[in-house]
Amino acid sequence: EAGVVQSPRYKIIEKKQPVAFWCNPISGHNTLYWYRQNLGQGPELLIRYENEEAVDDSQLPKDRFSAERLKGVDSTLKIQPAELGDSAVYLCASSLEGRGGSYGYTFGSGTRLTVV
Amino acid sequence: QKEVEQNSGPLSVPEGAIASLNCTYSDRGSQSFFWYRQYSGKSPELIMFIYSNGDKEDGRFTAQLNKASQYVSLLIRDSQPSDSATYLCAANMEYGNKLVFGAGTILRVKS
């Protein structure tokens, strides 16, 4: 079984430029999460999807961040425009619907974003 | 007050010793608790979860939960240099089907 697949692995952009991250969850996993991990910190939830619906986006900075999950499978997280403080690792995770909170979830390899 | 708190470390133990990692949480309604291991430059990897008071053992790892004290711990027996990593504690917050993570404890096992 393939795990959670993320791309790109690394991204370096200049501030004010746009950037997008892509995630393909484990097959059959309805729930998809985007987390951001700053250096020396634990992951922090940005948005959670149940199928196509964003059910928790309270921590997503909506002035510059957007996300979508078309057809309830792949997801894209976008930042426009990027700021220096957005430099972090962006992690995608997935779980079977309703089970992430009980059994945990699997993370992808992450995208390391550097804004210069 | 952070929702999940861990001592950042580093915690240094000699090879073969028991490493004890601790975590406290603020939400009394939290039901499930998780330990993830994260090697430098890698993503977090789930190693154990626990939801009942008491101990849960898996190989060299033992998770301990005390809901009355809002305390979770992870014991690693016969620590190996390959156990050197950051250990993240996470709790499932009652108000949402999501995990909230602590900042992690750095463990160093010296040979």
Side-chain angles (χ1 to χ4, degrees):
Chain A
E1 177 185 78
V4 177
V5 179
Q6 290 188 247
S7 68
R9 189 73 175 88
Y10 304 93
K11 190 73 176 180
I12 302 175
I13 62 170
E14 294 183 343
K15 63 181 180 181
K16 300 185 181 180
Q17 294 303 304
V19 64
F21 315 123
W22 175 81
C23 173
N24 179 246
I26 293 173
S27 179
H29 281 194
N30 307 83
T31 307
L32 184 146
Y33 310 80
W34 282 103
Y35 277 78
R36 176 171 60 187
Q37 187 174 23
N38 291 308
L39 188 64
Q41 300 297 315
E44 296 180 318
L45 182 70
L46 292 174
I47 189 168
R48 173 169 67 94
Y49 281 94
E50 296 287 351
N51 299 301
E52 301 91 350
E53 183 181 1
V55 297
D56 184 352
D57 63 355
S58 58
Q59 298 292 92
L60 189 72
K62 296 181 183 64
D63 57 336
R64 298 183 300 107
F65 286 65
S66 65
E68 62 181 9
R69 191 183 184 198
L70 300 177
K71 300 181 181 179
V73 181
D74 295 0
S75 178
T76 303
L77 178 68
K78 299 178 181 178
I79 308 175
Q80 183 172 10
E83 298 179 351
L84 295 177
D86 295 330
S87 295
V89 176
Y90 291 82
L91 294 161
C92 181
S94 71
S95 72
L96 290 171
E97 185 173 357
R99 300 187 67 182
S102 299
Y103 301 99
Y105 30 79
T106 303
F107 284 97
S109 57
T111 296
R112 182 176 297 275
L113 173 67
T114 302
V115 182
V116 297
Chain B
Q1 180 189 11
K2 292 186 178 179
E3 294 171 298
V4 178
E5 297 209 43
Q6 298 181 254
N7 187 321
S8 62
L11 172 66
S12 292
V13 300
E15 183 175 358
I18 296 175
S20 178
L21 304 161
N22 305 314
C23 169
T24 59
Y25 60 94
S26 62
D27 183 2
R28 284 196 169 274
S30 296
Q31 297 295 316
S32 306
F33 305 89
F34 304 82
W35 285 100
Y36 282 77
R37 177 176 62 200
Q38 186 171 29
Y39 292 113
S40 181
K42 302 295 185 181
S43 61
E45 172 193 11
L46 179 64
I47 53 174
M48 286 196 75
F49 66 88
I50 185 169
Y51 45 81
S52 299
N53 273 328
D55 296 359
K56 179 181 179 182
E57 186 174 320
D58 184 0
R60 295 187 296 112
F61 299 95
T62 299
Q64 299 175 318
L65 173 61
N66 183 325
K67 290 186 177 181
S69 300
Q70 296 176 245
Y71 181 88
V72 191
S73 65
L74 179 70
L75 301 179
I76 306 175
R77 290 181 299 280
D78 188 23
S79 295
Q80 301 297 310
S82 59
D83 294 326
S84 298
T86 297
Y87 288 80
L88 297 164
C89 174
N92 178 31
M93 294 290 125
E94 182 181 35
Y95 52 81
N97 185 25
K98 66 181 182 183
L99 302 190
V100 177
F101 287 82
T105 298
I106 298 170
L107 173 66
R108 293 178 182 160
V109 181
K110 299 181 178 180
S111 57

